Amino acid sequence: MPLSRNSLSTLTLGFALALTTALPVLAQNAPPPPTVTVAKPVVRDVIDSDEFIGRFEAVDQVSVRSRVDGYLDTVHFKDGALVKKGDPLFTIDQRPYISALAQAQSALEVAKTTETYAEAQFKRTQSLTGSGTLSVSTLDDQRRAFLAGQASVVGAQAAVDAAQLNLNYTQITAPQDGRIDRRLISVGNLVNANNTILTSIVSLDPIDFYFDVDERNLLSYSKTARENGANLQEGGGGLEVTVRLTDSNEQPFKGKLDFAENRLDDATGTMRVRARFDNPKFILQPGLFGRVEVAASNTYKGTLVPDEAVGSDQNERVVYVVNADETVTTKPVRLGPKLYGYRVIRSGLKGDETIVVNGLMRIRPGIKVKPEIIQLPPEVKGAEAGQ
């Protein structure tokens, strides 16, 4: 049976009354706003940095060879020891060179005796020629003999010097300070002059670090160097660098760029750059790998946030901002390097916003939240980056 108009009115009124009665109940059963941790970003003076992988190399390194042939007679060092310039390292059998020196000295004495006799003859002939007893041609012959005697003495003296030099070369000494390698040849073996490598020595303090820089970063470093009134190729522009070893327990090492090659590599599009580090405790060793951070800008005011405060929205990075009415909105940001334990925000934040730093999984844009305010420290102690 169809309902009358009065019945419909009564039914509508009853439904409205029931809905009005249920609304407070629904409101009481609604979930509370999620609690999130919020804070102001850290604003401080920062310097951008880039990170590269490189390797340490000795400033000076030398392969020790002998300058004379002979059998190895003595080794004077301990494998792997620290040596000073001039320390004895090897001795080649000296007996053949002592004999050669004695023979050269004997020849020198003969030459000196011949010179003395020729000089006396020349003076005697000179006096007799003046009185007309001997001819001038005889005087010329005696002069020639005297001059030849002088030349013979010079030649014999040079032979003595060469023999003495060869004898000195049988004592092989360290050409520089540094750490010596193991001996590469045993006593009794024949050593060929300028050919046989006996050992090697590398310097340790200071020590160099080489790494390759791409074109974009190279242009940035060159600009920073010019702003500092320097040139990247001449002294590295004075840019400061920090190197960390694979051992995380070691503190980072501070140094400066001091050289860049004069052209980019055609195959890789990179340029090799060098930094130099003081190494008084010899912790850094040639051949070690490290991660170097290079200052990529001059000092500027930067906005820093924890990595946990950065979320993703499709293909862009966002930060969740809590407004005055406790509602959440997102702000797209462009990220920079990690410094002082935080992530640098290159653009998107002014630094006076209130951002969500913990609880991102419980929120979405437009909802209300219950903020718990904390204050971020200027630096996260023990952070891996930005020490």
Side-chain angles (χ1 to χ4, degrees):
M1 177 183 293
L3 295 176
S4 64
R5 180 176 295 178
N6 290 335
S7 298
L8 287 173
S9 300
T10 302
L11 183 59
T12 302
L13 180 60
F15 179 75
L17 290 172
L19 183 60
T20 303
T21 306
L23 284 175
V25 177
L26 292 174
Q28 291 176 1
N29 294 333
T35 301
V36 294
T37 305
V38 301
K40 298 285 187 182
V42 175
V43 179
R44 60 174 295 172
D45 290 338
V46 298
I47 299 176
D48 286 347
S49 64
D50 299 306
E51 187 173 277
F52 304 92
I53 302 296
R55 174 178 282 182
F56 286 98
E57 292 187 16
V59 174
D60 297 305
Q61 50 189 336
V62 61
S63 297
V64 179
R65 292 177 168 88
S66 173
R67 296 190 181 188
V68 293
D69 295 323
Y71 288 90
L72 185 61
D73 185 66
T74 311
V75 178
H76 299 283
F77 65 91
K78 182 179 179 181
D79 290 352
L82 289 171
V83 296
K84 295 288 187 181
K85 183 177 181 180
D87 286 351
L89 302 180
F90 301 95
T91 299
I92 304 295
D93 185 8
Q94 295 181 324
R95 289 171 298 179
Y97 297 98
I98 293 174
S99 177
L101 176 61
Q103 185 176 1
Q105 289 173 334
S106 176
L108 175 62
E109 292 302 319
V110 171
K112 286 182 177 179
T113 302
T114 301
E115 180 199 18
T116 301
Y117 174 76
E119 182 181 12
Q121 286 292 93
F122 171 68
K123 290 181 178 179
R124 186 178 300 109
T125 303
Q126 191 176 33
S127 62
L128 293 175
T129 302
S131 62
T133 306
L134 295 176
S135 64
V136 175
S137 61
T138 304
L139 177 62
D140 292 339
D141 289 340
Q142 295 300 326
R143 180 183 292 109
R144 178 184 56 78
F146 175 49
L147 294 177
Q150 287 181 321
S152 296
V153 170
V154 173
Q157 182 63 57
V160 170
D161 294 341
Q164 182 65 61
L165 191 60
N166 286 334
L167 178 61
N168 293 342
Y169 283 155
T170 61
Q171 292 281 0
I172 303 171
T173 59
Q176 66 177 41
D177 297 350
R179 189 174 297 281
I180 198 167
D181 195 8
R182 65 182 177 88
R183 57 178 180 175
L184 301 179
I185 186 171
S186 299
V187 171
N189 282 288
L190 178 64
V191 176
N192 294 319
N194 304 316
N195 188 21
T196 306
I197 299 178
L198 303 176
T199 188
S200 61
I201 302 174
V202 294
S203 63
L204 295 176
D205 184 27
I207 192 168
D208 289 335
F209 185 85
Y210 288 88
F211 58 99
D212 296 328
V213 175
D214 58 88
E215 292 184 34
R216 181 182 62 83
N217 286 313
L218 178 66
L219 293 173
S220 174
Y221 302 154
S222 298
K223 179 181 177 182
T224 303
R226 289 194 299 271
E227 291 174 353
N228 294 335
N231 188 285
L232 191 63
Q233 273 74 25
E234 299 176 11
L239 301 183
E240 295 185 354
V241 298
T242 302
V243 161
R244 290 178 176 79
L245 304 180
T246 53
D247 184 1
S248 58
N249 294 323
E250 284 289 350
Q251 292 296 316
F253 297 85
K254 303 287 187 181
K256 286 189 175 182
L257 296 185
D258 76 330
F259 169 75
E261 292 183 345
N262 58 4
R263 69 187 304 271
L264 274 76
D265 186 273
D266 294 336
T268 63
T270 61
M271 179 180 287
R272 181 146 296 182
V273 181
R274 184 181 73 195
R276 183 159 291 183
F277 295 83
D278 292 329
N279 189 31
K281 296 182 179 179
F282 307 141
I283 296 174
L284 304 175
Q285 298 290 323
L288 279 178
F289 282 96
R291 292 182 293 114
V292 62
E293 289 183 6
V294 185
S297 71
N298 291 316
T299 304
Y300 69 95
K301 286 290 183 183
T303 302
L304 294 80
V305 302
D307 272 335
E308 298 79 14
V310 181
S312 298
D313 184 6
Q314 295 183 356
N315 62 344
E316 63 181 1
R317 295 289 189 172
V318 296
V319 170
Y320 291 87
V321 176
V322 178
N323 301 314
D325 60 357
E326 298 184 347
T327 59
V328 176
T329 58
T330 59
K331 282 198 171 185
V333 294
R334 187 166 68 92
L335 304 182
K338 193 169 183 180
L339 299 174
Y340 308 107
Y342 295 107
R343 181 64 59 185
V344 175
I345 303 299
R346 293 196 184 276
S347 64
L349 292 179
K350 297 179 180 179
D352 57 354
E353 299 89 346
T354 300
I355 63 172
V356 179
V357 296
N358 195 359
L360 269 65
M361 299 298 294
R362 299 192 295 271
I363 61 175
R364 64 181 184 275
I367 71 168
K368 274 202 168 190
V369 295
K370 181 181 178 182
E372 291 184 351
I373 301 177
I374 63 170
Q375 184 174 359
L376 298 175
E379 179 176 350
V380 179
K381 299 299 183 181
E384 185 173 329
Q387 293 296 314

